[in-house]
Amino acid sequence: DAGITQSPRHKVTETGTPVTLRCHQTENHRYMYWYRQDPGHGLRLIHYSYGVKDTDKGEVSDGYSVSRSKTEDFLLTLESATSSQTSVYFCAISDRTANYGYTFGSGTRLTVV
Amino acid sequence: AQSVTQPDIHITVSEGASLELRCNYSYGATPYLFWYVQSPGQGLQLLLKYFSGDTLVQGIKGFEAEFKRSQSSFNLRKPSVHWSDAAEYFCAVGVRSGGGADGLTFGKGTHLIIQP
């Protein structure tokens, strides 16, 4: 989607290794979110940010950490990847709050082997 | 906490026929409500949203949804589907509290199949 880029688009990693996913936006939006999408579960919120250095946990935050040192970048880190973290990860941004709707990135497909 | 239920995992509709996708939410007050669509391998696109006022909201691609408080529902409709409507559809709810920065809650999705 225009204005929001996720990298990498695909990644295969081994169990126990650290992994960092990047979300980059050019919209200067305040709010950024990380979701994971799994079959039968829809989208579940991992972490979100409401400003630089301001982050909080979502529904499924165990095993994940985030950082936001600049408005445009929101990083999601799996400290020690596990097979249960194999998923598609989506970043979303919003210029006000989540209640005004998101713009989603195209997703990162992560496979942990 | 709020929750969203999409009762139908899969729905098959003939091209040109009408469509209704069901969404029920659980929340103590009037929530913000959304429908998103996801094409294969893509991110999610906002179809429409309800905040307040007129309970029938119009969205993009010819979709509409109706908020019914008495039934805690926000069903998505389209009078005549096209093959390009085949996708995954997600209903989502946001709560009216604080700054609302705590994210939307999504249903598990309905997979729409269009028959020729």
Side-chain angles (χ1 to χ4, degrees):
Chain A
D1 285 277
I4 178 171
T5 306
Q6 291 185 234
S7 59
R9 291 295 311 275
H10 303 271
K11 186 172 182 65
V12 180
T13 192
E14 293 186 349
T15 299
T17 60
V19 177
T20 295
L21 309 182
R22 182 186 185 223
C23 179
H24 178 77
Q25 60 143 330
T26 58
E27 305 296 323
N28 200 36
H29 286 181
R30 178 182 176 186
Y31 300 95
M32 300 185 75
Y33 305 83
W34 277 108
Y35 280 84
R36 60 177 290 174
Q37 183 179 27
D38 304 288
H41 290 277
L43 282 86
R44 293 178 291 174
L45 182 65
I46 305 171
H47 280 281
Y48 62 94
S49 170
Y50 44 96
V52 173
K53 298 192 190 309
D54 291 324
T55 65
D56 208 344
K57 297 179 180 180
E59 176 189 358
V60 290
S61 60
D62 287 348
Y64 301 95
S65 62
V66 291
S67 66
R68 192 168 178 200
S69 58
K70 299 184 291 184
T71 298
E72 57 266 36
D73 289 323
F74 191 33
L75 304 180
L76 176 70
T77 297
L78 290 66
E79 301 291 346
S80 177
T82 67
S83 58
S84 65
Q85 294 176 311
T86 292
S87 186
V88 180
Y89 291 85
F90 285 100
C91 177
I93 61 175
S94 178
D95 61 348
R96 300 181 72 172
T97 70
N99 295 326
Y100 288 83
Y102 296 152
T103 298
F104 279 89
S106 298
T108 294
R109 182 173 296 276
L110 177 68
T111 303
V112 183
V113 298
Chain B
Q2 68 275 18
S3 65
V4 179
T5 301
Q6 293 180 246
D8 304 304
I9 298 174
H10 300 279
I11 281 189
T12 300
V13 178
S14 297
E15 190 169 14
S18 63
L19 170 70
E20 182 169 29
L21 301 182
R22 295 184 292 164
C23 173
N24 294 97
Y25 68 90
S26 174
Y27 181 58
T30 302
Y32 299 99
L33 295 162
F34 305 83
W35 275 99
Y36 284 86
V37 61
Q38 183 182 32
S39 298
Q42 302 297 313
L44 281 74
Q45 181 183 21
L46 180 64
L47 283 176
L48 48 77
K49 57 191 176 186
Y50 171 77
F51 287 169
S52 64
D54 192 347
T55 57
L56 184 64
V57 294
Q58 302 297 321
I60 63 172
K61 305 185 179 188
F63 286 93
E64 66 177 27
E66 185 172 12
F67 169 59
K68 293 186 177 180
R69 184 191 308 275
S70 61
Q71 299 177 20
S72 297
S73 69
F74 188 58
N75 294 349
L76 182 71
R77 301 193 295 247
K78 187 171 186 178
S80 177
V81 298
H82 186 263
W83 64 266
S84 60
D85 293 324
E88 192 84 15
Y89 290 80
F90 292 94
C91 182
V93 62
V95 299
R96 296 173 185 263
S97 65
D102 53 349
L104 301 181
T105 298
F106 286 82
K108 295 181 179 181
T110 297
H111 184 61
L112 176 63
I113 300 166
I114 306 296
Q115 281 184 335

